[in-house]
Every structure is written in C-alpha cells, then in structure tokens.
C-alpha cells in the first residue's frame, strides 16, 4: 500500500507549479532549437551573400573569355575554366568505366565474400583520407615515377584515385537496390549473366550511377588540395593535348593563386561565385537526374 | 506415358547439409506433376535442380544425373542458357521486370537473338494468348507491367516464360501469393498448358495437387517417399508416411 502511494506521488500531479515548469522547459528548448536553425541559415545566407556581393562586380565577359596578360595587365580566367573542364573529362573518362566495372564485379560476380568485404572496407577508408595526401601520392606516382610532369593528366589521374572509391560505393549501393527477383527472372529465361546485368540490372540502377557521377563531377570542380602539386599553377591558355602535360591551374587553384599570390581578392571572389554556381547546378541536376530516371 | 526428364540418384548438399537423398524419378511428358511435402522437405530445391537455378546458390554440391533430351544436364558441356530456355520457370512471387508488358514478354526472345518486330509481335500475342491474359492486356501492351494486379502479373510471368518456347514449365508455389480467384485462373491455365508443355509444380496446397496434377511426388526430409498417379496417391497411398501427411496428421 505504502509503495503504491509513494509511486503515485513520484509522478508529478498537475499542480500549477509542476505544469508550468515543464511548459517553460518546453518553450525554452523550442527557442534554442529555433535559434540554432536560424543561425545556421543566416550563416549560409551570409557566406553566399558576401561572396556574391564581393564577386559579382568583378564578373565580366572579358574575365571569362580571356587569359591573364602581364603586358596588358589584364586578368582572364578562360584557361582555368577550360582546365577544369579538361580535368573533368580526363578523370571521368578513366574513373567511370573503372569504377562501374569494379562495382559490377563486386556485386554481381565476385564469390569470395571475405575479399569483397575487404575491398569495400578499403574503399570506405579511402574516402576519409584528406585530399592533400592524394595530391602528395599523385605527385610522386604520376608526376615523378611515370614522368607525366605537372598537368591535367597527372592531376586527373590523382583525382581518379580520390573519386574511384566514391564511384564504386555509390554504384554498388544502387546495384544492390535492384531486386534479386529480377535477376532470377532473367536467368530463368536463359539469359547469360552479362546479358542479365546489361538488360535488367544496369537499367534499374542507372539513376544511382548517374547521381554518383554528377556528384563526383562536383567534387572534381571543388577540389584544390590534391591538384596543387599535380596539375600545377599554370595560367596560360592551352589546348587539351598540350594541357595534359603542362602545368594548368583549375578554377580552384586559380582562386588560390589570385587571392594569395597576386592579391587580386576581387577576382578570387568572382571565381568563387562561378564555383558556387557550378556546384549548386551540379547538385541540383543530380537530384533532377535521380528523380527523372527513377520514373522510367 | 512418355518420360521427358529422367532423374537418377540425385543428391544435393548445401555445404554440409545433405538436402536431397538419392532422388530417382521420371517426369512424365505433357502431364502435370505436383511436388508436395512439408516445408523444408526439399521440394523447391528439387524443382530448381531441373533447370539448374541452384547453380546460383553458394556452396552447393550436386551428384547424380538428370537426363533431358538424351544428355545429363549436369554434364560439363551443357550450356545452361540453352537448358533454361528449354526448361522455363515461374516463381513464387510474380516478378515482372519494370518494363512495359510488351517488353516483358519480348525479353526472352530478344535475349535469344530475335530482333524482327513482326516476329516479336507474333510471339508476344501468342504467348499472352497461351497464358490466357491477351484479352485483358491487348489494349495496353505499352503500359508498365508493374501496374497490373498480382494475379495478372503472375500470368504475365507465365506468358514471359512461354515466350522462349520451353518444353517444360516449372512452377515454384506460383499461386501462394495470390487470391483464390487468381489462383483458380492459374490452375485452369496449368491444365490448359499441359497440352503443349510439361508442367512440374511445387505446391503447399493439397487440394490444388488433387485438382490440377496428374502425378504426385511426396517429399519428406530430403527423401522422395512416393511417386505415383495423383488419384492413386490420394486414395490408396503406398507409404504410411504419405498417408499420414495427406490426411493431415503432420505438416
């Protein structure tokens, strides 16, 4: 009896004071949460706003379509725009077949579960390595050992090392979402394994693969540390073939050069505006692609 | 009665687990053979040995012979894709591909190299008619197969299997996920199909075996206890264990 009485007393009854105290806590927590949400949004808005405020005045047609000249004392970032494009082409051309191929092998063919787990673990671990370390390794491996010098090729291949695990993982994840019943259905009709993968598995995983690719392009566009030693700082306009083995700064590296070595903060902010717009566009199109392809 | 497939001393292991013991049975042509038995007795496993779908399972070992078309389907030179084209399969849950109805049916023929639109049109119509679903879908061949009801999807899967012109159709509890009306339609269809094809079906449903099948194989703990004409098995079973099972003493 006594116990019952005690336990009943332990639950606060709806006396005015207990009730209002809880209400106060509730309100307080709500305010705090709101405040942190608003602070986060404001911070983001401030950064974007400030970058646009500083950068947009420097954006001009001339900036985008010319190269810097010491003689004329003009600044143009066309070479850097092109270099970014070149490096995307090089890196994706290598990483896409390699990454999707590896992912298809791991999910559809490999029978040694232990090895698969090891590779998956390694891929997972690789994604956590700071990109400057990839840059260091890339410099030693590609620029020096393979003699590729500094340029788009060495830079692009370094990015391949960096992005490969990401592409493998995202592709694997999307392959795994394809129901096994589809695979069985195809095989039971006498489809060979590769035919089954090509006609049933890949079409149903394409949304994930495309999204992964677009996000990888986003990473390439935004990467700087890994490219400092590998792609180089060159600001000269080159065609694709020449750029492969000559020092070529991408937009991000150019941003660093203009901001810290040339003291052209305005130009750096203009590049930042371009980079942010590109990144936003890429993320947006990744979402769009995922939605669009899913409905087929 | 002609034999279309002859199983001799078939043994199967999943790792250390001996799942099928010395199974020998002749599958009669143009008849419906039902495989019955309690869960885990090996009937589905046995069914999948007939088109080598068990090959996909890791750590599996199979000995013995399954003679089809004059050769052992487990012989090294046998092309599994050829075998599976001749021995089609319908699964427990309908598994249409997320494509149009037309593309689902055309998948098999395309896989085996038919590209002519005229030929494909022909095969699609014929297969859907054989599966008794043509009238329901002929006006929406280009809509997604995933929009159909479960029963329709299962008949679509049967049509899809028929499109590669198999000899034998394996049905792995193909009505267990369906409502009674759809089940009835599939049973009717199976009876119709045996004119052209040989049907082997796994079923948990004793009434279904009686209604549909001509021959019955009773499996228990990896043994084939009894194989006889359905009528005989359900009236005068030869083995005591069969009698106990079909009269519901265990299950």
């Amino acid at each position: 009896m006594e116990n019952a009485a005690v336990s009943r007393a332990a639950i606060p009854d709806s006396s005015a004071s207990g009730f209002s105290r809880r209400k106060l806590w509730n309100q307080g927590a709500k305010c705090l949460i709101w405040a942190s949400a608003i602070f986060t949004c404001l911070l983001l808005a401030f950064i974007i706003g400030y970058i646009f405020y500083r950068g947009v005045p420097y954006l001009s047609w001339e900036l985008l379509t010319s190269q810097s000249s010491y003689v004329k004392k003009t600044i143009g970032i066309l070479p850097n725009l092109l270099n970014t494009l070149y490096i995307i082409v090089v890196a994706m051309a290598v990483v896409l077949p390699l990454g999707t191929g590896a992912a298809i092998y791991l999910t559809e063919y490999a029978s040694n579960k232990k090895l698969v787990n090891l590779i998956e673990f390694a891929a997972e671990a690789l994604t956590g390595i700071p990109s400057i370390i990839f840059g260091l390794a890339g410099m030693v491996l590609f620029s020096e050992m393979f003699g590729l010098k500094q340029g788009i090729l060495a830079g692009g291949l370094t990015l391949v090392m960096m992005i490969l695990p990401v592409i493998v993982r995202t592709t694997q994840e999307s392959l795994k979402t394809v129901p096994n019943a589809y695979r069985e259905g195809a095989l039971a009709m006498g489809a060979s394994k590769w035919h089954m993968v090509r006609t049933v598995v890949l079409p149903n995983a394409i949304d994930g693969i495309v999204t992964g690719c677009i996000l990888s392009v986003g990473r390439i566009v935004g990467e700087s540390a890994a490219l400092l030693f590998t792609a180089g700082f060159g600001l000269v306009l080159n065609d694709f073939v020449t750029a492969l083995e000559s020092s070529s700064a991408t937009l991000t590296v150019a941003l660093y050069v203009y901001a810290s070595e040339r003291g052209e903060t305005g130009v750096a902010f203009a590049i930042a505006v371009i980079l942010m717009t590109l990144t936003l566009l890429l993320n947006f199109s990744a979402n769009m692609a995922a939605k669009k392809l899913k409905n087929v | 009665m002609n034999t279309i497939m002859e199983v001799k001393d078939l043994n199967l292991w999943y790792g250390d687990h001996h799942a099928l013991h010395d199974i020998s049975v002749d599958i009669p042509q143009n008849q419906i053979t039902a495989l019955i038995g309690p869960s885990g007795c090996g009937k589905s496993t046995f069914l999948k040995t007939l088109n080598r779908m068990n090959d996909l399972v890791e750590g599996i070992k199979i000995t013995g012979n399954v003679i089809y078309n004059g050769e052992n389907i487990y012989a090294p030179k046998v092309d599994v894709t050829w075998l599976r084209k001749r021995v089609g399969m319908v699964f427990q849950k309908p598994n249409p591909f997320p494509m149009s109805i037309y593309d689902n049916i055309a998948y098999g023929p395309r896989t085996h190299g038919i590209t002519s639109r005229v030929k494909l049109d022909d095969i699609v119509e014929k297969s859907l008619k054989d599966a008794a679903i043509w009238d329901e879908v002929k006006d929406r061949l280009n809509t997604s197969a995933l929009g159909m009801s479960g029963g329709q999807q299962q008949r679509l899967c049967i049509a899809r299997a028929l499109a590669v012109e198999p000899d034998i159709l394996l049905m792995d509890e193909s009505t267990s996920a369906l409502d009674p009306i759809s089940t009835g339609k599939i049973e009717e269809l199976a009876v119709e199909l045996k004119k052209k094809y040989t049907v082997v079906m796994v079923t948990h449903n004793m009434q279904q075996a009686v209604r549909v099948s001509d021959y019955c194989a009773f499996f228990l703990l990896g043994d084939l206890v009894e194989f006889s004409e359905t009528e005989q098995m359900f009236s005068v079973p030869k083995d005591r264990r069969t009698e106990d099972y079909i009269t519901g003493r265990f299950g």
Side-chain angles (χ1 to χ4, degrees), chain B residues 166-182:
Chain B
D167 267 351
I168 304 176
L169 191 63
L170 308 178
M171 299 173 83
D172 189 3
E173 288 188 59
S174 301
T175 61
S176 64
L178 304 180
D179 63 88
I181 293 173
S182 304

Side-chain angles (χ1 to χ4, degrees), chain A:
Chain A
M1 278 319 272
E2 209 178 297
N3 267 347
V6 167
S7 72
R8 198 176 304 139
I11 302 169
D13 60 350
S14 44
S15 73
S17 71
F19 201 66
S20 65
R21 197 156 75 219
R22 261 188 296 158
K23 218 168 169 183
L24 207 67
W25 266 111
N26 201 17
Q27 293 293 338
K30 208 168 169 185
C31 285
L32 273 174
I33 291 164
W34 266 97
S36 27
I38 288 169
F39 179 74
T40 312
C41 291
L42 280 181
L43 192 66
L44 184 70
F46 170 74
I47 293 174
I48 296 178
Y50 185 69
I51 287 171
F52 274 75
Y53 167 72
R54 294 284 310 265
V56 170
Y58 285 85
L59 277 179
S60 67
W61 188 243
E62 212 203 326
L63 181 78
L64 297 177
T65 55
S66 67
Q67 60 174 322
S68 296
S69 158
Y70 283 109
V71 182
K72 288 184 272 177
K73 299 227 160 115
T74 55
I75 291 177
I77 57 165
L78 178 65
N80 314 113
L81 274 169
L82 285 176
N83 289 338
T84 304
L85 191 69
Y86 294 160
I87 215 158
I88 291 173
V89 170
V90 168
M92 290 314 282
V94 180
V95 86
L96 196 57
L98 210 60
T100 42
I104 290 172
Y105 175 75
L106 288 175
T107 27
E108 305 294 330
Y109 288 88
S111 51
N112 186 341
K113 281 272 158 353
K114 270 191 193 149
L115 185 69
V116 172
N117 285 340
L118 188 72
I119 295 175
E120 285 179 357
F121 174 76
E124 202 81 55
L126 274 178
T127 55
I129 293 180
S131 58
I132 190 104
I133 295 177
F134 281 105
L136 191 65
M139 176 181 74
V140 174
L141 190 67
F142 300 121
S143 304
E144 291 170 11
M145 274 175 64
F146 292 176
L148 296 177
K149 299 181 228 162
Q150 276 192 344
I152 295 296
L153 199 54
L157 291 176
T158 305
L159 290 179
V160 167
M161 291 199 299
M162 209 176 86
I163 300 166
L164 188 61
V166 182
I167 293 265
V168 171
R169 294 297 287 153
T170 49
T171 308
Q172 265 194 297
E173 288 315 313
S174 47
L175 290 176
K176 283 177 190 167
T177 60
V178 178
N180 253 329
Y182 294 171
R183 295 184 177 85
E184 284 183 339
L187 292 176
M189 261 178 291
S192 65
K193 189 131 188 184
W194 172 237
H195 187 84
M196 178 271 287
V197 169
R198 193 167 56 80
T199 56
V200 176
V201 179
L202 284 180
N204 282 294
I206 197 74
D207 55 329
I209 298 174
V210 169
T211 313
C213 285
I214 297 176
L215 292 176
S216 300
V217 171
R219 270 194 82 173
I220 297 176
V221 169
E223 184 52 48
S224 53
L227 297 176
L228 291 174
F229 326 121
T230 51
F233 295 91
L235 297 174
V236 185
L237 186 63
N238 281 320
D239 61 70
F240 181 71
V241 179
T242 321
L244 286 178
E245 289 201 19
S246 40
S247 176
S248 314
T250 60
L251 283 172
T252 39
V253 177
L255 189 154
Y256 166 76
V257 173
Y258 284 116
S260 72
E261 292 179 6
R262 300 273 194 97
E264 295 281 356
T265 337
V267 176
F269 272 107
I271 296 177
V273 168
I274 298 171
L275 281 170
M276 292 218 339
T277 316
L278 277 178
T279 317
L280 280 175
L281 278 178
L282 283 169
N283 277 304
F284 184 67
S285 55
N287 281 338
M288 288 289 287
K291 273 200 202 118
K292 220 179 192 115
L293 293 165
K294 193 107 220 163
N295 291 337
V296 171

Side-chain angles (χ1 to χ4, degrees), chain B residues 75-145:
Chain B
K77 62 170 180 168
V78 168
D79 178 5
V80 184
T81 61
W82 168 84
L83 173 73
R84 293 191 186 138
K85 181 177 179 293
R86 310 302 308 152
V87 185
M89 184 158 199
V90 182
F91 295 84
Q92 183 169 5
K93 274 203 195 136
N95 60 347
F97 300 133
M99 312 170 179
S100 71
I101 295 173
Y102 185 98
D103 288 335
N104 261 283
I105 308 294
Y107 182 86
R110 279 177 179 146
T111 297
H112 297 287
I114 296 175
T115 50
S116 140
R117 184 79 193 187
V118 184
K119 262 192 196 164
L120 285 173
D121 284 349
D122 245 24
I123 294 173
V124 169
E125 181 172 343
K126 188 175 158 294
S127 310
L128 288 169
K129 278 182 174 160
D130 277 356
I133 194 179
W134 171 251
D135 288 330
E136 290 163 59
V137 301
K138 66 179 180 216
D139 298 323
R140 51 177 179 132
L141 291 177
N142 291 317
T143 59
S144 168

Side-chain angles (χ1 to χ4, degrees), chain B residues 142-154:
Chain B
N142 291 317
T143 59
S144 168
L146 300 184
M148 309 165 86
S149 74
Q152 286 178 322
Q153 287 188 3
Q154 194 62 301

